[in-house]
Amino acid sequence: MFGLQFGQNDNFTFSAWIKTSSGGAIVNYYEANPGDICFESNRFGLRMAETTYVESSVETNDGNWHHILGKREGDSIHFYVDGALTGSRTGLYGYSIHGNAAKKWTIGASWKFWENIHYRFFKGIIDEVRIYNRALSEDEIKRLYEK
């Protein structure tokens, strides 16, 4: 059993330090119903019947270290690079994560359920992956980056 669970209206935050020249999946959660969470080097999203992504306006695939963070807060998702907001989107519908199967969570790859394999491997270094069961404040996000 994997204990990470979020209800339909719960807030959450994903963050990590990355260094890459080509990107890929950092943290991925897959559940056939209702959908998945995708946290990549340049985008953060929730997918159910339709995809709801927010993409960063800042390039992170430049071979340098970057702190990236995606959060859900209310009906919005936000993406931050190096402590600064680089994209956001509102109008989300309910989404819940039951997290009861360890194979559904991956770090450094995505799960291709229809072939039962991992793919979209991250090419680079991932460090200090953090998952919070709340939306971090702007001050907390800046402190994480400045650490």
Side-chain angles (χ1 to χ4, degrees):
M1 293 290 280
F2 193 85
L4 190 59
Q5 298 185 16
F6 303 115
Q8 225 177 23
N9 298 307
D10 291 348
N11 296 327
F12 51 84
T13 303
F14 288 69
S15 76
W17 282 93
I18 62 166
K19 183 177 182 180
T20 183
S21 296
S22 59
I26 297 165
V27 176
N28 184 264
Y29 172 79
Y30 175 78
E31 187 171 327
N33 188 9
D36 71 350
I37 291 178
C38 182
F39 182 44
E40 298 183 356
S41 58
N42 65 342
R43 68 180 182 168
F44 175 65
L46 307 175
R47 180 170 43 220
M48 288 176 64
E50 63 181 65
T51 302
T52 304
Y53 284 115
V54 59
E55 296 205 9
S56 173
S57 60
V58 174
E59 182 63 45
T60 58
N61 301 336
D62 59 6
N64 295 311
W65 280 103
H66 293 282
H67 182 258
I68 61 169
L69 183 141
K71 73 174 181 177
R72 174 186 175 171
E73 187 169 28
D75 72 341
S76 302
I77 54 176
H78 309 279
F79 196 91
Y80 294 77
V81 175
D82 297 334
L85 180 65
T86 62
S88 62
R89 187 168 179 180
T90 60
L92 299 180
Y93 37 80
Y95 187 93
S96 57
I97 299 171
H98 303 293
N100 57 3
K103 77 175 188 176
K104 294 179 182 179
W105 287 97
T106 55
I107 294 177
S110 290
W111 180 248
K112 190 184 278 190
F113 72 95
W114 58 93
E115 294 181 21
N116 202 30
I117 61 169
H118 290 100
Y119 75 121
R120 295 184 50 74
F121 294 97
F122 187 84
K123 296 175 180 80
I125 302 168
I126 301 171
D127 197 14
E128 296 185 40
V129 173
R130 296 176 183 215
I131 302 173
Y132 298 87
N133 62 355
R134 60 190 175 84
L136 296 184
S137 70
E138 297 293 319
D139 286 342
E140 290 173 309
I141 292 167
K142 288 194 185 306
R143 281 197 304 266
L144 269 180
Y145 168 62
E146 293 169 353
K147 275 178 112 178

